[in-house]
Amino acid sequence: MSVSPSVSGPLPVPGSAAAAATPPAAAGAAGPAPTQADLLDFARRTAADTQLIASLPLDPEGRTWVRLEGPGGSEAWLIGWPPGSGTGWHDHADSVGAFVTASGELREHSLAARLPTDGWKTLELSEDVDRRRRLPAGQGRAFGRHHVHEVLNESPDRHAVSVHAYFPPLPRIRRYSRTGQVLRLEQVERPEDWQ
């Protein structure tokens, strides 16, 4: 497994402006695209690499991250989460993905609803779409295209570290605000915005 130099700062989610300054890994040898299961397996194996996890510099003020070489040309990241940090609501558009908590604990809030992919600015969500998942060290999940979620480190005093992988490398990220059951599309980021 190879890693890129560490970067730190207020990274909202992997693939954001700061993170995407590192170009996506070139696709590996011709072969099938990695599946959600492949990405989750990669994230689990990487999260179990205690030496790699311990090598990530942690910042008390903002998230830190290191670019990893993911399977089959996927985009992968090792991310450090200071206490109280989070991503805000977003999706990864046409990419499938997976992430695993390597140390500490993360919480994921997600929507169990398939949202329209384009052509809307505001949606009223039904009362039964919210899902909450606690992800202590060693736990993770895979997700499909257009999965809307936010990831948080709710600990008041402990960092968390996680491994994330996406395929294809993030073509865009849609960011949302949420007030009660109203979800509003705020911004669409594309790779050219991250250069």
Side-chain angles (χ1 to χ4, degrees):
M1 173 180 328
S2 67
V3 293
S4 298
S6 174
V7 182
S8 67
L11 177 66
V13 292
S16 71
T22 304
T35 64
Q36 292 175 44
D38 295 332
L39 297 174
L40 184 58
D41 179 61
F42 165 81
R44 281 194 176 121
R45 286 184 289 107
T46 304
D49 183 340
T50 55
Q51 188 173 12
L52 176 65
I53 301 310
S55 74
L56 180 67
L58 300 177
D59 181 336
E61 300 298 318
R63 285 194 284 165
T64 53
W65 58 93
V66 173
R67 176 74 184 236
L68 304 174
E69 185 178 323
S74 62
E75 182 171 344
W77 299 92
L78 177 63
I79 301 176
W81 305 73
S85 61
T87 61
W89 287 93
H90 66 281
D91 71 17
H92 305 101
D94 298 315
S95 296
V96 298
F99 69 100
V100 171
T101 305
S103 67
E105 180 174 300
L106 293 174
R107 179 164 304 268
E108 180 195 38
H109 299 162
S110 63
L111 301 179
R114 179 92 172 167
L115 302 181
T117 56
D118 291 301
W120 65 276
K121 291 285 186 192
T122 303
L123 289 176
E124 186 167 342
L125 304 170
S126 65
E127 295 290 330
D128 62 348
V129 298
D130 286 297
R131 300 294 181 266
R132 288 175 172 69
R133 184 173 298 200
R134 194 177 137 258
L135 298 163
Q139 297 295 309
R141 65 153 317 160
F143 52 85
R145 292 167 178 24
H146 311 291
H147 175 70
V148 178
H149 69 164
E150 67 174 346
V151 180
L152 309 158
N153 177 6
E154 296 179 328
S155 172
D157 57 7
R158 186 169 180 211
H159 268 81
V161 176
S162 57
V163 177
H164 301 247
Y166 310 96
F167 189 84
L170 297 171
R172 62 182 173 155
I173 292 176
R174 291 179 294 208
R175 299 196 182 279
Y176 306 97
S177 62
R178 182 162 179 195
T179 305
Q181 293 305 110
V182 176
L183 188 70
R184 179 181 303 279
L185 176 64
E186 296 292 345
Q187 182 178 7
V188 177
E189 296 178 2
R190 292 180 171 78
E192 58 268 21
D193 300 328
W194 306 327
Q195 301 302 322

